[in-house]
Amino acid sequence: SQQGEEDPQALSIQEGENATMNCSYKTSINNLQWYRQNSGRGLVHLILIRSNEREKHSGRLRVTLDTSKKSSSLLITASRAADTASYFCATDPNAGGTSYGKLTFGQGTILTVHP
Amino acid sequence: DSGVTQTPKHLITATGQRVTLRCSPRSGDLSVYWYQQSLDQGLQFLIQYYNGEERAKGNILERFSAQQFPDLHSELNLSSLELGDSALYFCASSVGLGTGGRNNEQFFGPGTRLTVL
């Protein structure tokens, strides 16, 4: 079963607007990662946030993590048509302090950015 | 380009057949992971190898098996194929296990699209 639940399932915006995607998960984690997937292609790692971090930035990406609510959000600012893709959150579960990288992915958010 | 390579890109076969998917991790990465992506199940973790040894198992069917060789490349073997096995199969690699509080950023290959007819 999928641990991560993304919301919304689909998001359609205009170029220049910001896009926010949310992810909720169920168990404790070592870290949470966001990936992008262009249609039918491989996943591209975007950003990793550790369980003891609350916010992280990378270029136009901003990720927040609230471990008390077991949720994360990905904000893409000033979106571009090239940002059109599916975005997945993936949790790296904390099994007694050990992580084997058994990532659990959400169902993803399909982002469409119109030029 | 993540540095992870997978072959073949596409595979079309019939039910009951057996196929082998191959993955070469990034240079220096010791861990290899296999994932299956299908429309109904989404992205699911199958199995992980670290430096030649199996380390973690996910929702991998008994008809599926994998191994990691001394040169660290990995193969995923799928046998007695069924229509429902049609999916994208991804391989990912990372430097280590992510133990001791270290992080485990994974780099994904382009995938092998398997179609079972």
Side-chain angles (χ1 to χ4, degrees), chain A residues 1-2 30-31 33 35 37 40-45 48 50 88 92 97-103 105-107, chain B residues 33 35 37 41-45 48 55-58 88 90 97-100 103-106 108-110 113:
Chain A
S1 63
Q2 299 292 321
N30 279 313
N31 61 67
Q33 305 178 36
Y35 288 83
Q37 183 181 33
R41 311 203 43 187
L43 283 86
V44 174
H45 187 273
L48 180 153
R50 301 174 187 172
F88 295 89
D92 188 354
T98 296
S99 163
Y100 293 113
K102 185 179 169 180
L103 292 181
F105 284 83
Q107 293 291 346
Chain B
Y33 312 80
Y35 292 87
Q37 185 179 34
Q41 296 291 325
L43 258 165
Q44 300 234 351
F45 168 78
Q48 178 205 6
R55 296 294 292 183
K57 249 182 175 177
L88 261 172
F90 289 106
L97 281 173
T99 55
N103 298 297
N104 197 30
E105 182 180 341
Q106 295 183 21
F108 280 73
R113 183 174 293 280

Side-chain angles (χ1 to χ4, degrees), chain B residues 40-113:
Chain B
D40 53 345
Q41 296 291 325
L43 258 165
Q44 300 234 351
F45 168 78
L46 295 179
I47 197 164
Q48 178 205 6
Y49 280 82
Y50 176 76
N51 205 20
E53 291 188 9
E54 181 185 306
R55 296 294 292 183
K57 249 182 175 177
N59 300 322
I60 187 166
L61 301 172
E62 286 190 8
R63 300 184 285 107
F64 296 0
S65 65
Q67 58 185 131
Q68 186 179 29
F69 295 86
D71 67 353
L72 301 177
H73 91 271
S74 178
E75 292 181 357
L76 178 67
N77 300 296
L78 315 176
S79 61
S80 302
L81 286 168
E82 301 175 359
L83 295 177
D85 297 327
S86 295
L88 261 172
Y89 290 85
F90 289 106
C91 165
S93 73
S94 68
V95 171
L97 281 173
T99 55
R102 290 163 54 192
N103 298 297
N104 197 30
E105 182 180 341
Q106 295 183 21
F107 295 87
F108 280 73
T112 293
R113 183 174 293 280

Side-chain angles (χ1 to χ4, degrees), chain A residues 47-109:
Chain A
I47 197 166
L48 180 153
I49 186 164
R50 301 174 187 172
S51 60
N52 61 354
E53 296 176 314
R54 291 297 166 257
E55 187 171 314
K56 205 162 182 180
H57 297 256
S58 177
R60 294 184 295 113
L61 305 180
R62 173 178 165 252
V63 168
T64 61
L65 179 65
D66 187 336
T67 53
S68 66
K69 295 181 180 177
K70 292 188 168 58
S71 67
S72 173
S73 67
L74 170 68
L75 168 67
I76 304 174
T77 60
S79 62
R80 306 165 182 168
D83 295 328
T84 295
S86 293
Y87 291 81
F88 295 89
C89 68
T91 50
D92 188 354
N94 185 336
T98 296
S99 163
Y100 293 113
K102 185 179 169 180
L103 292 181
T104 302
F105 284 83
Q107 293 291 346
T109 293

